[in-house]
Amino acid sequence: MFPFFRNIVVNKLDYSVLLKCRSLISKLRSFWLRPQFSKMGNHTIFEKTGYLKGLKYISIGDNVHFDSMIFLTAWDRFAGETFSPRISIGDNCSFGAFNHITSINKIIIGDGCLVGKFVTISD
């Protein structure tokens, strides 16, 4: 009976180690796959992104929600020309599905903005 009990203890121990490793792998994966915006606030949610470009030029505030298929693009080069784009989104904003926000200069969206579906914002 003792060897049987020993196997159960080892299996439970292995299982707890496996769960800790799985949690660590999940955190590392979310860090590596997380888009690297110039600033991204707390509690920002992306449902399902469509296309992201020029993330180092995009800053996002706290509590911002993007519905599915959002396109955020900041173009620093186009047709042989160089630009200094900037997209700034304030706190507590919500964007509907299939929104497209694109910039080669500057777009500033303030706090508390609610944007419906299929909206394009461009400069």
Side-chain angles (χ1 to χ4, degrees):
M1 191 162 177
F2 180 72
F4 176 74
F5 180 74
R6 185 170 158 234
N7 286 340
I8 290 175
V9 171
V10 168
N11 287 341
K12 285 186 178 180
L13 191 69
D14 290 343
Y15 184 70
S16 72
V17 170
L18 176 68
L19 286 178
K20 288 178 183 175
C21 288
R22 194 167 112 193
S23 173
L24 179 63
I25 289 169
S26 174
K27 288 177 184 174
L28 288 173
R29 194 170 136 215
S30 68
F31 175 76
W32 285 326
L33 298 178
R34 182 178 178 176
Q36 298 299 312
F37 292 95
S38 68
K39 175 194 174 265
M40 186 156 93
N42 296 323
H43 309 292
T44 295
I45 299 171
F46 284 87
E47 294 295 333
K48 181 180 177 187
T49 58
Y51 184 62
L52 303 174
K53 178 175 176 45
L55 301 182
K56 63 183 176 182
Y57 305 111
I58 302 171
S59 65
I60 300 173
D62 294 333
N63 300 317
V64 177
H65 178 264
F66 295 99
D67 210 341
S68 60
M69 300 306 292
I70 186 79
F71 287 70
L72 288 174
T73 55
W75 299 86
D76 56 358
R77 291 178 187 205
F78 183 75
E81 293 187 46
T82 305
F83 301 99
S84 299
R86 183 174 148 217
I87 297 175
S88 178
I89 298 172
D91 298 335
N92 303 313
C93 294
S94 183
F95 296 86
F98 299 96
N99 280 194
H100 190 159
I101 303 171
T102 186
S103 173
I104 60 169
N105 291 312
K106 182 167 50 171
I107 293 175
I108 299 174
I109 298 172
D111 295 342
C113 186
L114 176 63
V115 180
K117 294 181 178 181
F118 301 102
V119 174
T120 299
I121 300 172
S122 180
D123 59 356

